Amino acid sequence: AVVSTQSTGADNEMRFGCFYFWMLAAIVIEIILFSMLLFRLSKSVSQTSHQTRENARVRSKYVFPLMKYPLVNFVLAIPVTTNRIQNWVAPENPIFWLFLLHSMVYPLWGFINA
């Protein structure tokens, strides 16, 4: 029996719809939720301690590190998603530097999330 390694357009559309769409939606939702959390946390810190050094220390200790997580997650998702979409649109014409960037960033993404 011969097994074909060629994927059809329907396979690619199903893969894009089932994985990439939800991954990008999760990243956007994550950014929105983190923004809401940071806004409320920053607001509560500023209301509890009025213009003190403690306010600045709490903000720098808790609020600013939380701002980095969704930003880093979004930045690391860009090359991975771009490469996969490019391979979906033009599978016969892969871009080497984009694949190289994808292969360097993808393990880093998991490491940073851990």
Side-chain angles (χ1 to χ4, degrees), residues 6-100:
Q6 296 291 329
S7 61
T8 63
D11 292 339
N12 286 334
E13 290 171 4
M14 180 67 90
R15 180 176 58 165
F16 184 78
C18 289
F19 180 72
Y20 303 128
F21 172 77
W22 296 110
M23 180 184 70
L24 292 173
I27 290 171
V28 169
I29 290 169
E30 176 187 44
I31 289 172
I32 290 170
L33 291 176
F34 262 90
S35 299
M36 290 170 49
L37 173 73
L38 290 171
F39 176 74
R40 288 186 182 182
L41 184 62
S42 179
K43 189 176 176 181
S44 78
V45 166
S46 65
Q47 287 177 352
T48 56
S49 53
H50 298 288
Q51 298 176 354
T52 63
R53 288 186 183 185
E54 184 67 23
N55 182 8
R57 189 183 67 77
V58 167
R59 184 172 287 164
S60 67
K61 185 176 181 180
Y62 296 111
V63 176
F64 293 136
L66 283 175
M67 293 168 61
K68 295 176 190 174
Y69 179 75
L71 180 66
V72 167
N73 204 8
F74 181 70
V75 168
L76 291 178
I78 290 173
V80 173
T81 306
T82 304
N83 182 45
R84 290 185 174 173
I85 290 174
Q86 189 278 328
N87 287 334
W88 176 62
V89 171
E92 67 282 344
N93 189 18
I95 300 173
F96 177 74
W97 66 266
L98 194 56
F99 175 74
L100 188 62

